[in-house]
Amino acid sequence: MSSNVLNHPVAAALAEKIQNRTARVGVIGLGYVGLPLAVEYAHAGFHVTGIDLSVSKVDKVNAGDSYVGDVPTSVLAPLVEQGLLKATTDFAAMAELDTINIAVPTPLRKTKDPDMSYIVSATEEIAKYLHPGMLIILESTTYPGTTDELVLPMLEKSGLKVGEDFFLCFSPERVDPGNAKFQTKNIPKVVGGHTPACTELGRQFYGMALEHVVPVSSTQVAEMVKLLENTFRMINIGLVNEIAIMCDGMGINVWEVIEAAATKPFGFMPFFPGPGLGGHCIPIDPFYLSWKSKQAGIEARFIELAGYINGQMPHFVVAKIQNALNEVSKSVKGAKVVVYGAAYKRDIDDVRESPALDIIHLLKKRGAKVSYVDPYIDQIKLDTEVLTASPAEIVKEADCVVIVTDHKCFDYPALVADSSLIVDTRNALKGIKSDKIFRL
Ligand code: SAJ
């Protein structure tokens, strides 16, 4: 899109500031999305102000001390020392800023309805300091319509006009924590504006710090892009979990089936069964879409069904543990069961929505004595107690070990040697033959 849509003087002036890097950049939310983004803009030569409610995050940033795995302290510290990046808890800083990226959480409530409270409070603060010439970009994953129906009216209460006085876009965050190959700078960035001028300014803004920008025609398209990406993933995981249940019932090795199917060089993409769906994206984002489509009177049946199947996997795993114990004439009640790996996926320290939490809960409900081993997770807060990680040696006293998260750092041959009974939900023991191993 050419920049002739920027014929309005305010838009032209902001474009100039973006192009000559004098635009003062603000990022609200200094988590695994916001901090890497702030660092990219500081790297690109902009003066960046990070804004967060957390005093500890703000203090750490200002001390050049990173708390986000994808941002090494060796990268953060020099930018802070050069005065290119600073952080504050004071939203009034926005009075002096030209661009604001909002990267705050969008969780689900217990009722599986979207929790928009973080977006609302950030937008309320922006509205207080909104001034002509600002570009506001929402990055938090949310349902289509959030930017235009929720954020825009709050900002226009100021009397300023979108597309003329200020500019509003949506751009989905696509950060994959720990992904060594794809980081904020080289992940293609989709951006859609409320008006063509908004889209063009968003395109120019991201073009100054990121390698590849994908402008789309509206904020709704941009919001829907992210939900399609993650709903696609969640539904395919649900499909392969159902295939795993079928294979289990037919005595077929589902892992061998998937490995062979993946040899198809086109038209197939492997997903793998597991103990359930964890994390703060995949189990949650699709329900933003199903909630919104319900508002339009459309049942999102695929999402609901996949959600049900994925939600059943912890129960399926506990039934496998029960059957494995039964094979050695033991009951779950009173059994010492070790959950091997608690993070929601391998090689990370995040336990949010992890299926390990459900499996521990279900085992305890059946009277098992449950411990867990996970070098990345020191403690797990359950409803009524806090579990602390046990040393790996605990498997020697266990009646059953269940591999829930297949961290690469685990010594699997040693685990097999030291355990009397193992349920493997991740094919971590691929190729190891033993009667004491029961596989998903
Ligand atoms: N999972 C399976 N089978 C699979 C893949 C994943 O059971 O084949 C489980 C994982 O064990 C985990 C959950 O699903 O419990 C989510 O895993 P994930 O690999 O999707 O990882 P996330 O939650 O970190 O997803 C993020 C997403 N990134 C963003 O939303 C920006 C997702 O879009 C990425 O595709 C994904 O990382 C990735 O590819 O790593």
Side-chain angles (χ1 to χ4, degrees):
M1 177 190 295
S2 71
S3 51
N4 67 357
V5 293
L6 302 183
N7 44 22
H8 192 285
V10 172
L14 178 55
E16 175 68 22
K17 284 182 172 179
I18 290 171
Q19 290 304 326
N20 65 26
R21 293 179 170 76
T22 57
R24 294 152 302 172
V25 173
V27 177
I28 299 178
L30 297 176
Y32 76 90
V33 174
L35 187 61
L37 185 69
V39 162
E40 286 306 335
Y41 274 89
H43 246 302
F46 289 84
H47 281 82
V48 183
T49 303
I51 303 174
D52 200 291
L53 296 174
S54 157
V55 173
S56 115
K57 282 194 171 85
V58 164
D59 290 348
K60 283 188 174 173
V61 169
N62 288 330
D65 172 15
S66 178
Y67 49 84
V68 169
D70 290 344
V71 178
T73 290
S74 58
V75 168
L76 176 65
L79 295 171
V80 174
E81 274 148 37
Q82 294 160 43
L84 284 168
L85 175 55
K86 65 183 180 217
T88 178
T89 56
D90 183 3
F91 284 85
M94 289 190 284
E96 306 302 318
L97 301 179
D98 301 303
T99 71
I100 302 288
N101 288 76
I102 310 170
V104 296
T106 44
L108 277 181
R109 299 185 194 289
K110 287 260 178 284
T111 52
K112 282 204 187 290
D113 291 336
D115 175 355
M116 305 306 285
S117 60
Y118 295 88
I119 289 181
V120 168
S121 51
T123 307
E124 280 167 350
E125 292 298 336
I126 295 171
K128 287 180 198 165
Y129 306 101
L130 189 69
H131 52 77
M134 282 188 96
L135 171 61
I136 312 297
I137 304 181
L138 176 59
E139 294 215 357
S140 308
T141 304
T142 184
Y143 59 81
T146 301
T147 308
D148 289 358
E149 298 162 14
L150 179 66
V151 174
L152 177 57
M154 291 174 71
L155 297 180
E156 284 201 315
K157 270 197 197 128
S158 60
L160 295 176
K161 185 100 186 68
V162 68
E164 290 175 20
D165 302 320
F166 73 96
F167 306 91
L168 180 61
C169 294
F170 182 84
S171 174
E173 64 88 359
R174 283 174 158 175
V175 176
D176 179 25
N179 189 323
K181 191 170 170 221
F182 297 110
Q183 293 280 311
T184 296
K185 186 168 180 58
N186 68 346
I187 296 172
K189 197 80 168 101
V190 170
V191 60
H194 185 74
T195 69
C198 300
T199 304
E200 176 57 12
L201 283 166
R203 187 193 68 78
Q204 291 192 21
F205 173 72
Y206 283 122
M208 295 304 290
L210 308 182
E211 286 176 11
H212 181 193
V213 185
V214 183
V216 293
S217 61
S218 70
T219 60
Q220 288 95 332
V221 167
E223 289 159 338
M224 194 59 155
V225 162
K226 174 63 183 280
L227 293 180
L228 171 59
E229 289 165 5
N230 282 0
T231 301
F232 162 80
R233 199 166 171 78
M234 180 260 215
I235 283 179
N236 278 286
I237 294 166
L239 167 66
V240 81
N241 278 330
E242 187 168 66
I243 295 286
I245 294 170
M246 292 176 190
C247 286
D248 187 75
M250 301 178 207
I252 298 170
N253 181 324
V254 68
W255 305 97
E256 187 185 359
V257 169
I258 295 165
E259 196 175 335
T263 59
K264 182 178 179 189
F266 51 83
F268 181 78
M269 179 179 182
F271 287 87
F272 301 94
L277 212 48
H280 45 282
C281 302
I282 306 304
I284 287 166
D285 298 349
F287 291 98
Y288 269 72
L289 179 56
S290 69
W291 177 84
K292 182 66 178 178
S293 68
K294 256 181 221 141
Q295 312 271 309
I298 301 157
E299 271 309 298
R301 288 174 297 168
F302 268 115
I303 294 171
E304 301 298 336
L305 176 58
Y308 172 75
I309 292 169
N310 290 326
Q312 281 304 303
M313 292 314 287
H315 297 267
F316 184 75
V317 167
V318 169
K320 274 202 95 62
I321 294 167
Q322 208 149 345
N323 295 340
L325 284 167
N326 194 48
E327 289 299 307
V328 293
S329 312
K330 289 183 182 171
S331 67
V332 173
K333 190 168 181 178
K336 285 187 218 138
V337 181
V338 174
V339 169
Y340 218 66
Y344 80 78
K345 71 176 183 180
R346 72 157 68 125
D347 306 338
I348 63 162
D349 63 357
D350 193 338
V351 75
R352 279 179 289 184
E353 305 287 326
S354 172
L357 303 177
D358 299 316
I359 290 168
I360 290 169
H361 171 73
L362 291 168
L363 286 169
K364 284 173 129 351
K365 230 169 84 178
R366 283 162 178 72
K369 297 189 189 82
V370 187
S371 318
Y372 80 94
V373 171
D374 191 320
Y376 293 90
I377 310 282
D378 297 337
Q379 285 194 327
I380 294 180
K381 287 187 184 60
L382 299 174
D383 295 346
T384 55
E385 64 175 305
V386 174
L387 277 189
T388 303
S390 298
E393 294 70 44
I394 194 168
V395 301
K396 292 175 182 166
E397 306 143 29
D399 297 304
C400 183
V401 176
V402 53
I403 301 172
V404 174
T405 310
D406 51 338
H407 292 310
K408 290 199 188 86
C409 65
F410 283 150
D411 179 347
Y412 292 108
L415 173 66
V416 174
D418 294 344
S419 307
S420 57
L421 189 64
I422 304 173
V423 172
D424 178 4
T425 73
R426 297 286 194 176
N427 203 31
L429 306 181
K430 178 182 172 189
I432 301 179
K433 294 212 179 332
S434 165
D435 293 344
K436 60 184 169 179
I437 299 173
F438 290 74
R439 300 173 206 275
L440 195 59

